[in-house]
Amino acid sequence: MTDHVYKVVELVGSSPEGTDAAIRNALSKAASSVRNMRWFEVVETRGHIEQGKVAHFQVTLKVGFTLD
């Protein structure tokens, strides 16, 4: 196994569909500019309420990627 050094960035994804979609949205968008993403950690989940119902989910992620 090769030793790795990771850089960590924080992202916030959102979706009206749920937390899984919010995570996927954040990672998909980040993949267009961040190379070598290897793992993520959900550090916070929150949402927006309208008329007593969940209208939008937000998920804060820490994403680790290897350095070249």
Side-chain angles (χ1 to χ4, degrees):
M1 177 180 225
T2 305
D3 292 336
H4 292 285
V5 173
Y6 295 94
K7 172 85 174 159
V8 178
V9 296
E10 190 169 86
L11 305 172
V12 177
S14 64
S15 173
E17 298 169 13
T19 56
D20 286 353
I23 292 167
R24 293 179 197 285
N25 288 344
L27 295 175
S28 175
K29 182 66 174 176
S32 67
S33 61
V34 178
R35 293 177 296 144
N36 304 320
M37 290 189 300
R38 301 290 184 227
W39 55 266
F40 72 91
E41 173 187 1
V42 175
V43 294
E44 184 176 25
T45 303
R46 62 186 169 275
H48 176 72
I49 301 168
E50 288 182 5
Q51 299 176 355
K53 296 182 181 178
V54 176
H56 219 84
F57 297 86
Q58 288 184 331
V59 180
T60 303
L61 309 169
K62 287 186 180 180
V63 178
F65 59 96
T66 54
L67 301 173
D68 290 333

Coordinates of all heavy atoms in Angstrom, one line a residue:
M1 N 0.8 -1.2 0.0 CA 0.0 0.0 0.0 C 0.9 1.2 0.0 O 1.8 1.3 0.7 CB -0.9 0.0 1.2 CG -1.8 1.2 1.4 SD -2.8 1.1 2.8 CE -4.3 1.6 2.1
T2 N 0.5 2.2 -0.8 CA 1.3 3.4 -0.9 C 0.8 4.4 0.1 O -0.4 4.5 0.5 CB 1.0 4.1 -2.3 OG1 1.4 3.1 -3.3 CG2 1.9 5.3 -2.5
D3 N 1.8 5.2 0.7 CA 1.4 6.2 1.6 C 0.7 7.4 0.9 O 1.2 7.7 -0.2 CB 2.7 6.8 2.3 CG 3.3 5.7 3.3 OD1 2.5 4.8 3.7 OD2 4.5 5.8 3.6
H4 N -0.3 7.9 1.5 CA -1.0 9.0 0.8 C -1.0 10.3 1.7 O -1.0 10.1 2.9 CB -2.4 8.7 0.5 CG -2.6 7.6 -0.5 ND1 -2.4 7.9 -1.9 CD2 -2.9 6.3 -0.4 CE1 -2.7 6.8 -2.5 NE2 -3.0 5.8 -1.7
V5 N -1.0 11.4 1.1 CA -1.2 12.7 1.8 C -2.5 13.2 1.2 O -2.6 13.3 0.0 CB 0.0 13.7 1.6 CG1 -0.3 15.0 2.2 CG2 1.3 13.1 2.2
Y6 N -3.4 13.6 2.1 CA -4.7 14.2 1.6 C -4.8 15.6 1.9 O -4.4 16.1 3.0 CB -5.8 13.4 2.4 CG -5.9 12.0 2.0 CD1 -5.3 11.0 2.8 CD2 -6.6 11.5 0.9 CE1 -5.4 9.7 2.5 CE2 -6.7 10.2 0.6 CZ -6.1 9.3 1.4 OH -6.2 7.9 1.1
K7 N -5.5 16.3 1.0 CA -5.9 17.7 1.3 C -7.4 17.6 1.5 O -8.1 16.7 0.9 CB -5.7 18.5 0.0 CG -6.2 19.9 0.0 CD -5.3 20.9 0.8 CE -5.9 22.3 0.6 NZ -5.4 23.2 1.6
V8 N -8.0 18.4 2.4 CA -9.4 18.3 2.8 C -10.0 19.7 2.4 O -9.5 20.7 2.8 CB -9.6 18.0 4.3 CG1 -11.1 17.9 4.6 CG2 -8.9 16.6 4.6
V9 N -11.2 19.6 1.8 CA -12.0 20.8 1.5 C -13.4 20.5 2.1 O -13.8 19.4 2.3 CB -12.1 21.1 0.0 CG1 -10.7 21.4 -0.6 CG2 -12.7 19.9 -0.8
E10 N -14.1 21.6 2.3 CA -15.4 21.5 2.8 C -16.4 22.0 1.8 O -16.2 23.0 1.1 CB -15.6 22.4 4.1 CG -16.9 22.2 4.8 CD -16.9 22.8 6.2 OE1 -17.2 24.0 6.3 OE2 -16.5 22.2 7.2
L11 N -17.5 21.2 1.6 CA -18.5 21.5 0.6 C -19.8 21.5 1.2 O -20.1 20.8 2.2 CB -18.5 20.5 -0.5 CG -17.2 20.2 -1.3 CD1 -17.4 19.0 -2.2 CD2 -16.7 21.4 -2.1
V12 N -20.8 22.3 0.6 CA -22.2 22.2 1.1 C -23.0 21.9 -0.2 O -23.0 22.7 -1.1 CB -22.7 23.5 1.7 CG1 -24.1 23.4 2.1 CG2 -21.8 23.8 2.9
G13 N -23.7 20.7 -0.2 CA -24.6 20.4 -1.3 C -26.0 20.6 -0.8 O -26.3 20.5 0.4
S14 N -26.9 20.8 -1.8 CA -28.3 21.0 -1.5 C -29.2 20.3 -2.5 O -28.8 20.1 -3.6 CB -28.6 22.5 -1.4 OG -28.4 23.1 -2.6
S15 N -30.4 20.0 -2.0 CA -31.4 19.4 -2.9 C -32.8 19.4 -2.3 O -32.9 19.2 -1.0 CB -31.0 17.9 -3.2 OG -32.0 17.3 -3.9
P16 N -33.8 19.6 -3.0 CA -35.2 19.4 -2.5 C -35.6 18.0 -2.3 O -36.5 17.7 -1.7 CB -36.0 20.2 -3.5 CG -35.3 20.0 -4.8 CD -33.8 20.1 -4.4
E17 N -34.8 17.1 -2.9 CA -35.1 15.6 -3.0 C -34.7 14.9 -1.7 O -35.3 13.8 -1.4 CB -34.5 15.0 -4.2 CG -35.0 15.6 -5.5 CD -34.2 15.1 -6.7 OE1 -33.5 14.2 -6.6 OE2 -34.4 15.8 -7.7
G18 N -33.6 15.3 -1.0 CA -33.1 14.5 0.1 C -31.7 14.7 0.3 O -30.9 15.3 -0.5
T19 N -31.2 14.1 1.4 CA -29.8 14.2 1.8 C -28.9 13.5 0.8 O -27.8 14.0 0.5 CB -29.5 13.8 3.2 OG1 -30.0 12.4 3.4 CG2 -30.2 14.6 4.2
D20 N -29.3 12.3 0.3 CA -28.4 11.6 -0.6 C -28.2 12.4 -1.9 O -27.1 12.5 -2.4 CB -29.0 10.2 -1.0 CG -28.9 9.2 0.1 OD1 -28.2 9.5 1.1 OD2 -29.5 8.1 -0.1
A21 N -29.3 13.0 -2.4 CA -29.2 13.9 -3.6 C -28.3 15.1 -3.3 O -27.5 15.5 -4.2 CB -30.5 14.3 -4.1
A22 N -28.4 15.6 -2.1 CA -27.5 16.8 -1.8 C -26.0 16.4 -1.8 O -25.2 17.2 -2.3 CB -27.9 17.4 -0.4
I23 N -25.7 15.2 -1.2 CA -24.4 14.7 -1.2 C -23.9 14.5 -2.7 O -22.8 15.0 -3.1 CB -24.3 13.4 -0.4 CG1 -24.5 13.7 1.0 CG2 -22.9 12.7 -0.7 CD1 -24.7 12.4 1.9
R24 N -24.7 13.9 -3.5 CA -24.3 13.6 -4.9 C -24.1 14.9 -5.7 O -23.2 15.0 -6.5 CB -25.3 12.7 -5.5 CG -25.3 11.3 -4.9 CD -26.4 10.4 -5.6 NE -26.7 9.2 -4.7 CZ -25.9 8.2 -4.6 NH1 -24.7 8.1 -5.2 NH2 -26.2 7.2 -3.8
N25 N -25.0 15.9 -5.4 CA -24.8 17.2 -6.1 C -23.5 17.8 -5.8 O -22.8 18.3 -6.7 CB -26.0 18.1 -5.7 CG -27.3 17.7 -6.4 OD1 -27.4 16.9 -7.3 ND2 -28.4 18.2 -5.8
A26 N -23.1 17.8 -4.5 CA -21.9 18.4 -4.1 C -20.7 17.7 -4.7 O -19.8 18.4 -5.3 CB -21.8 18.4 -2.6
L27 N -20.7 16.4 -4.7 CA -19.5 15.7 -5.2 C -19.5 15.8 -6.7 O -18.4 15.9 -7.3 CB -19.6 14.2 -4.8 CG -19.5 14.0 -3.3 CD1 -19.7 12.5 -2.9 CD2 -18.1 14.4 -2.8
S28 N -20.6 15.7 -7.4 CA -20.6 15.8 -8.8 C -20.1 17.2 -9.3 O -19.3 17.3 -10.2 CB -22.1 15.7 -9.3 OG -22.1 15.9 -10.7
K29 N -20.5 18.3 -8.6 CA -20.0 19.6 -9.0 C -18.5 19.7 -8.7 O -17.8 20.3 -9.5 CB -20.8 20.7 -8.3 CG -20.4 22.1 -8.6 CD -20.8 22.4 -10.0 CE -20.5 23.9 -10.3 NZ -20.8 24.2 -11.7
A30 N -18.1 19.2 -7.6 CA -16.7 19.3 -7.2 C -15.8 18.5 -8.1 O -14.6 18.9 -8.4 CB -16.5 18.9 -5.8
A31 N -16.3 17.4 -8.7 CA -15.5 16.6 -9.6 C -15.1 17.3 -10.8 O -14.1 16.9 -11.5 CB -16.3 15.3 -9.9
S32 N -15.7 18.4 -11.2 CA -15.4 19.1 -12.4 C -14.1 20.0 -12.2 O -13.4 20.3 -13.1 CB -16.5 20.0 -12.8 OG -16.7 21.1 -11.9
S33 N -13.7 20.2 -10.9 CA -12.5 21.0 -10.7 C -11.5 20.4 -9.6 O -10.4 20.8 -9.6 CB -12.9 22.4 -10.2 OG -13.6 22.4 -9.0
V34 N -11.9 19.4 -8.9 CA -11.1 18.7 -7.9 C -10.7 17.3 -8.4 O -11.6 16.5 -8.6 CB -11.7 18.7 -6.5 CG1 -10.8 18.0 -5.5 CG2 -12.1 20.1 -6.0
R35 N -9.4 17.1 -8.5 CA -9.0 15.7 -9.0 C -8.7 14.8 -7.8 O -8.4 15.3 -6.7 CB -7.8 15.8 -9.9 CG -8.0 16.5 -11.2 CD -6.8 16.7 -12.0 NE -5.8 17.6 -11.2 CZ -4.5 17.4 -11.2 NH1 -3.9 16.5 -11.9 NH2 -3.8 18.3 -10.5
N36 N -8.8 13.6 -8.0 CA -8.3 12.5 -7.0 C -9.1 12.5 -5.7 O -8.6 12.2 -4.7 CB -6.8 12.7 -6.7 CG -6.0 12.7 -8.0 OD1 -6.2 11.9 -8.9 ND2 -5.0 13.5 -8.0
M37 N -10.4 12.8 -5.8 CA -11.2 12.7 -4.6 C -11.3 11.3 -4.2 O -11.5 10.4 -5.0 CB -12.7 13.3 -4.8 CG -12.7 14.8 -5.0 SD -14.4 15.5 -5.0 CE -15.1 14.7 -6.4
R38 N -11.1 11.0 -2.9 CA -11.1 9.6 -2.4 C -12.1 9.3 -1.3 O -12.5 8.2 -1.2 CB -9.7 9.4 -1.8 CG -8.5 9.5 -2.7 CD -8.6 8.5 -3.8 NE -7.4 8.6 -4.6 CZ -7.4 8.6 -5.9 NH1 -8.5 8.4 -6.6 NH2 -6.3 8.7 -6.6
W39 N -12.5 10.3 -0.5 CA -13.5 10.0 0.5 C -14.2 11.2 0.9 O -13.9 12.3 0.6 CB -12.8 9.4 1.8 CG -11.7 10.2 2.3 CD1 -10.3 10.1 2.0 CD2 -11.8 11.3 3.3 NE1 -9.6 11.1 2.7 CE2 -10.5 11.8 3.5 CE3 -12.8 11.9 3.9 CZ2 -10.2 12.9 4.3 CZ3 -12.6 13.0 4.8 CH2 -11.3 13.5 5.0
F40 N -15.4 11.0 1.6 CA -16.1 12.2 2.2 C -16.7 11.8 3.5 O -16.8 10.6 3.9 CB -17.2 12.6 1.2 CG -18.4 11.7 1.2 CD1 -19.5 11.8 2.0 CD2 -18.5 10.7 0.2 CE1 -20.6 11.0 1.9 CE2 -19.5 9.8 0.1 CZ -20.6 10.0 1.0
E41 N -16.9 12.8 4.3 CA -17.5 12.7 5.7 C -18.6 13.7 5.8 O -18.4 14.9 5.5 CB -16.4 12.9 6.7 CG -16.9 13.0 8.1 CD -15.8 13.4 9.1 OE1 -14.7 13.7 8.7 OE2 -16.1 13.5 10.3
V42 N -19.8 13.3 6.2 CA -20.9 14.2 6.4 C -20.7 14.8 7.8 O -20.6 14.0 8.8 CB -22.3 13.5 6.3 CG1 -23.4 14.4 6.7 CG2 -22.5 12.9 4.9
V43 N -20.6 16.1 7.9 CA -20.3 16.7 9.2 C -21.5 17.5 9.7 O -21.6 17.8 10.9 CB -19.1 17.7 9.2 CG1 -17.8 16.8 8.9 CG2 -19.2 18.7 8.1
E44 N -22.5 17.8 8.8 CA -23.7 18.5 9.3 C -24.8 18.3 8.3 O -24.6 18.3 7.1 CB -23.4 20.0 9.4 CG -24.5 20.8 9.9 CD -24.1 22.3 10.1 OE1 -23.2 22.8 9.5 OE2 -24.7 23.0 11.0
T45 N -26.0 18.2 8.8 CA -27.2 18.1 8.0 C -28.2 19.1 8.5 O -28.4 19.2 9.7 CB -27.8 16.7 8.0 OG1 -26.9 15.7 7.6 CG2 -29.0 16.6 7.1
R46 N -28.8 19.9 7.6 CA -29.8 20.8 8.0 C -30.8 21.0 6.8 O -30.6 20.5 5.7 CB -29.2 22.2 8.4 CG -28.4 22.9 7.3 CD -27.7 24.1 7.8 NE -26.8 24.6 6.8 CZ -25.5 24.2 6.6 NH1 -25.1 23.2 7.4 NH2 -24.8 24.6 5.6
G47 N -31.8 21.7 7.1 CA -32.9 21.9 6.0 C -33.6 23.2 6.2 O -33.5 23.9 7.1
H48 N -34.4 23.5 5.1 CA -35.2 24.7 5.1 C -36.6 24.2 5.1 O -37.1 23.3 4.5 CB -34.9 25.4 3.7 CG -35.8 26.6 3.5 ND1 -35.6 27.8 4.2 CD2 -36.8 26.8 2.7 CE1 -36.5 28.6 3.8 NE2 -37.2 28.1 2.8
I49 N -37.4 24.9 6.0 CA -38.8 24.6 6.2 C -39.7 25.7 5.6 O -39.5 26.9 5.7 CB -39.2 24.5 7.7 CG1 -38.3 23.4 8.3 CG2 -40.6 24.2 7.9 CD1 -38.3 23.4 9.8
E50 N -40.7 25.2 4.8 CA -41.7 26.1 4.3 C -43.1 25.5 4.6 O -43.4 24.4 4.3 CB -41.6 26.3 2.8 CG -40.4 27.1 2.4 CD -40.3 27.3 0.9 OE1 -41.2 26.9 0.1 OE2 -39.3 27.8 0.4
Q51 N -44.0 26.3 5.2 CA -45.3 25.9 5.5 C -45.4 24.6 6.3 O -46.2 23.7 6.0 CB -46.2 25.9 4.3 CG -46.3 27.2 3.6 CD -47.1 27.1 2.3 OE1 -47.5 26.1 1.8 NE2 -47.3 28.3 1.7
G52 N -44.4 24.5 7.2 CA -44.4 23.3 8.1 C -43.9 22.0 7.5 O -43.9 21.0 8.1
K53 N -43.3 22.1 6.3 CA -42.8 20.9 5.6 C -41.3 21.2 5.2 O -40.9 22.3 4.9 CB -43.6 20.6 4.4 CG -45.0 20.2 4.7 CD -45.8 19.8 3.5 CE -47.2 19.4 3.9 NZ -48.1 19.1 2.8
V54 N -40.6 20.1 5.1 CA -39.2 20.2 4.6 C -39.2 20.6 3.1 O -39.9 19.9 2.3 CB -38.4 18.9 4.7 CG1 -37.0 19.0 4.2 CG2 -38.4 18.5 6.2
A55 N -38.6 21.7 2.8 CA -38.5 22.2 1.4 C -37.2 21.9 0.7 O -37.1 21.8 -0.5 CB -38.9 23.7 1.4
H56 N -36.1 21.9 1.5 CA -34.8 21.8 1.0 C -33.9 21.2 2.0 O -34.0 21.5 3.2 CB -34.3 23.2 0.6 CG -33.5 23.2 -0.7 ND1 -34.1 23.3 -1.9 CD2 -32.2 23.1 -0.9 CE1 -33.2 23.3 -2.9 NE2 -32.0 23.2 -2.3
F57 N -33.0 20.3 1.6 CA -31.9 19.7 2.4 C -30.6 20.3 2.1 O -30.3 20.5 0.9 CB -31.9 18.2 2.2 CG -33.1 17.5 2.6 CD1 -34.2 17.4 1.6 CD2 -33.3 16.9 3.8 CE1 -35.3 16.7 2.0 CE2 -34.5 16.3 4.1 CZ -35.5 16.1 3.2
Q58 N -29.8 20.5 3.1 CA -28.4 21.0 2.9 C -27.5 20.0 3.7 O -27.8 19.7 4.9 CB -28.1 22.4 3.4 CG -28.8 23.4 2.6 CD -28.4 24.8 3.1 OE1 -28.2 25.0 4.3 NE2 -28.3 25.8 2.2
V59 N -26.4 19.6 3.1 CA -25.5 18.7 3.8 C -24.0 19.2 3.6 O -23.6 19.5 2.5 CB -25.5 17.3 3.1 CG1 -24.5 16.3 3.8 CG2 -26.9 16.7 3.2
T60 N -23.4 19.4 4.8 CA -22.0 19.9 4.7 C -21.1 18.6 4.8 O -21.3 17.7 5.6 CB -21.7 20.7 6.0 OG1 -22.6 21.8 6.0 CG2 -20.2 21.3 5.9
L61 N -20.1 18.6 3.9 CA -19.2 17.5 3.7 C -17.7 17.9 3.8 O -17.4 19.0 3.4 CB -19.3 16.9 2.3 CG -20.7 16.5 1.7 CD1 -20.5 16.2 0.3 CD2 -21.2 15.3 2.5
K62 N -16.9 17.1 4.4 CA -15.5 17.2 4.3 C -15.1 16.2 3.2 O -15.5 15.0 3.3 CB -14.8 16.9 5.6 CG -14.9 18.0 6.6 CD -14.1 17.7 7.8 CE -14.2 18.8 8.8 NZ -13.4 18.5 10.0
V63 N -14.3 16.6 2.2 CA -13.9 15.8 1.1 C -12.4 15.7 1.1 O -11.7 16.7 1.1 CB -14.5 16.3 -0.2 CG1 -14.0 15.4 -1.4 CG2 -16.0 16.3 -0.2
G64 N -11.9 14.5 1.1 CA -10.4 14.3 1.0 C -10.0 13.9 -0.4 O -10.6 13.1 -1.0
F65 N -8.9 14.5 -0.9 CA -8.3 14.1 -2.2 C -6.8 14.0 -2.0 O -6.2 14.7 -1.2 CB -8.8 15.1 -3.3 CG -8.4 16.5 -3.1 CD1 -7.2 17.0 -3.7 CD2 -9.1 17.4 -2.3 CE1 -6.8 18.3 -3.5 CE2 -8.8 18.7 -2.2 CZ -7.6 19.2 -2.7
T66 N -6.2 13.1 -2.8 CA -4.8 12.9 -2.8 C -4.1 14.0 -3.6 O -4.6 14.5 -4.6 CB -4.4 11.6 -3.3 OG1 -4.9 11.4 -4.6 CG2 -4.9 10.4 -2.4
L67 N -2.9 14.4 -3.1 CA -2.1 15.4 -3.8 C -1.2 14.7 -4.8 O -0.8 13.5 -4.6 CB -1.2 16.1 -2.8 CG -2.0 16.9 -1.7 CD1 -1.0 17.4 -0.7 CD2 -2.8 18.0 -2.3
D68 N -1.0 15.4 -5.9 CA -0.1 14.8 -7.0 C 1.3 14.8 -6.5 O 1.7 15.6 -5.7 CB -0.2 15.7 -8.3 CG -1.6 15.4 -8.9 OD1 -2.2 14.4 -8.7 OD2 -2.0 16.4 -9.6

